[in-house]
Amino acid sequence: MSQRNATLVGFTAVLLWSLLALFTVGSAPVPPFQLAALTFAVGGTLGLIWTIATRQGAVLRTVGWQVFVFGTAGLFGYHALYFSALRLAPAAEAGLISYLWPLFIVLMSGLLPGERLKPLHVAGALLAFGGAALIVLRGAGGISGEAVPGLGLAFLCALTWSTYSVVSRRFGDVPTASVTIFCLATAALSALAHLVFEQTVWPTTAAGWLSILALGLGPVGLAFYTWDIGVKRGNIQLLGVASYAAPLLSTLALVAAGVTEPSTILLISAALIAAGAALAARASA
């Protein structure tokens, strides 16, 4: 697969993640860890079917246990920190800080063999981050001292996912089918966390069950497989900057579904994100 095609495949993960908020709203009132357990179980089953259909089961036996621990820590760690941050800090501020991961990907990618970080990459990442910040922070209030621990967890959340994405490139020979094990292990850990910290609440409508299924098939399923291909074989700097399209597309999806109202901020954010992606693309040309 060429780098260009791998980058396009990786970007489909960003498109799928833009539906995360919409489907998560639809899955209410299921608590976070229970939701993670259910959706990752669906995503892992999806990968299991694909692995069996493509006869890659034997290949997985050659993957070291360290890789499985690393991948599981990345997926479970990110979601555990993210959910905890949203409980301890205002959603807008925590969301903004956790969305530092695309910027961290761009900056950390310069440490990879054969990669070179250019000034336009950094400028593009900062512009796109500004566009994402406008969306996430619109209507946000002040920050209290009680929110500081949650904001710290949000920062660790961003570091976790960016580290997972960048280090995954060092495991370029590891088959994408290994993500199946990451998802199934994350589902098991999430179920355990749910039993310890939460009360079980099931969806009350058919729409709630469909939202959970959609999450498991898309944003918490297929997205992780296509992202694995993108970060291992694609242009990781361009993917990092393009990831800032997720909060914009997510807001547009909520607007289209009538969950939120459109605003001028969307137009400004779109311009900033597009400009940032254009700068990164020019640097990678």
Side-chain angles (χ1 to χ4, degrees), residues 30-96:
V30 179
F33 282 117
Q34 182 185 351
L35 182 62
L38 292 171
T39 53
F40 272 106
V42 174
T45 301
L46 178 68
L48 196 60
I49 294 172
W50 173 66
T51 300
I52 294 173
T54 55
R55 300 179 180 179
Q56 296 188 67
V59 178
L60 288 179
R61 299 191 188 100
T62 66
V63 179
W65 62 268
Q66 300 93 334
V67 176
F68 292 128
V69 171
F70 164 76
T72 303
L75 266 62
F76 176 75
Y78 170 80
H79 288 85
L81 289 168
Y82 182 74
F83 291 150
S84 299
L86 291 185
R87 285 184 173 184
L88 298 174
E93 288 84 347
L96 172 62

Side-chain angles (χ1 to χ4, degrees), residues 31 41 68 83 95 112 116 140 171 178 191 206 221 229 233 249 271:
F68 292 128
F83 291 150
L112 290 170
R116 186 161 62 94
F171 297 113
S178 62
I229 294 172
R233 305 176 190 176
L249 296 174

